[in-house]
Amino acid sequence: MASVEVHVAPDRFEVSSGEALLVAELRSAIAVCVYDADEEAGALLHLRCIVRHSKPADVTDSTLATELLLLHRCLESLRESAPAARRLQARIVAHLADSPQVNPACDIVIKLVRHYLEDAGVQVLPEDIAAGGPARTLRFRPAMGWVHTHA
């Protein structure tokens, strides 16, 4: 049986139950893959890391608030679609631009996402962060908790 591929755009999330495959192209971006393999449900949140080159690396309060709101809505939607999901786990996967200005800002967002997930009772697995190089394609099958990336 072929599974459905759902492409997740930057600054969006998708929730899935069953055999759907969630896909995102990470180019100076962070992906948050949340799942409960027992309930075969999960979600993929795709966040961009954007830094204006005219200013020093900084993450504004409004940017952080927007990303936290997206993360909150993503978890809320997942819990609504799979109310029996009690053992949520998450993987954070990132592709950092080949720019020293971007990395500190992305590090702040990754730490913030990690702390939010832990506070929400989600077990956070080790991060997968690649700095520089070509964009990474992420393929996530929530039903199995399977995360695969390649350049």
Side-chain angles (χ1 to χ4, degrees), residues 3 18-22 35 139-147:
S3 63
E19 288 300 314
L21 185 65
L22 303 177
Y35 63 94
R139 301 171 73 76
F140 172 48
R141 189 177 307 279
M144 301 169 59
W146 177 82
V147 178

Side-chain angles (χ1 to χ4, degrees), residues 24-46:
E25 182 176 333
L26 302 180
R27 183 183 317 266
S28 189
I30 300 166
V32 182
C33 304
V34 183
Y35 63 94
D36 183 317
D38 293 340
E39 293 301 314
E40 297 186 357
L44 172 62
L45 171 61
H46 184 178

Side-chain angles (χ1 to χ4, degrees), residues 2-150:
S3 63
V4 175
E5 268 193 22
V6 178
H7 291 271
V8 182
D11 299 323
R12 301 271 188 247
F13 67 87
E14 290 290 336
V15 176
S16 171
S17 342
E19 288 300 314
L21 185 65
L22 303 177
V23 180
E25 182 176 333
L26 302 180
R27 183 183 317 266
S28 189
I30 300 166
V32 182
C33 304
V34 183
Y35 63 94
D36 183 317
D38 293 340
E39 293 301 314
E40 297 186 357
L44 172 62
L45 171 61
H46 184 178
L47 300 171
R48 291 182 289 173
C49 290
I50 298 174
V51 173
R52 302 193 194 300
H53 294 289
S54 61
K55 298 181 181 178
D58 193 14
V59 181
T60 66
D61 289 344
S62 60
T63 300
L64 293 175
T66 301
E67 290 171 346
L68 279 180
L69 182 60
L70 274 172
L71 180 56
H72 175 76
R73 287 182 179 162
C74 178
L75 283 177
E76 192 174 70
S77 295
L78 175 57
R79 288 182 170 138
E80 284 176 8
S81 73
R86 302 275 184 254
R87 297 180 50 208
L88 293 177
Q89 298 180 40
R91 294 276 322 265
I92 299 170
V93 179
H95 172 269
L96 304 181
D98 216 0
S99 165
Q101 298 95 346
V102 175
N103 294 351
C106 286
D107 286 342
I108 291 168
V109 174
I110 290 169
K111 287 177 185 170
L112 184 69
V113 166
R114 174 178 269 289
H115 288 301
Y116 185 91
L117 291 168
E118 289 169 348
D119 287 348
V122 177
Q123 179 187 0
V124 182
L125 302 172
E127 295 147 359
D128 177 0
I129 301 172
R136 301 172 80 187
T137 300
L138 178 130
R139 301 171 73 76
F140 172 48
R141 189 177 307 279
M144 301 169 59
W146 177 82
V147 178
H148 182 310
T149 59
H150 63 85

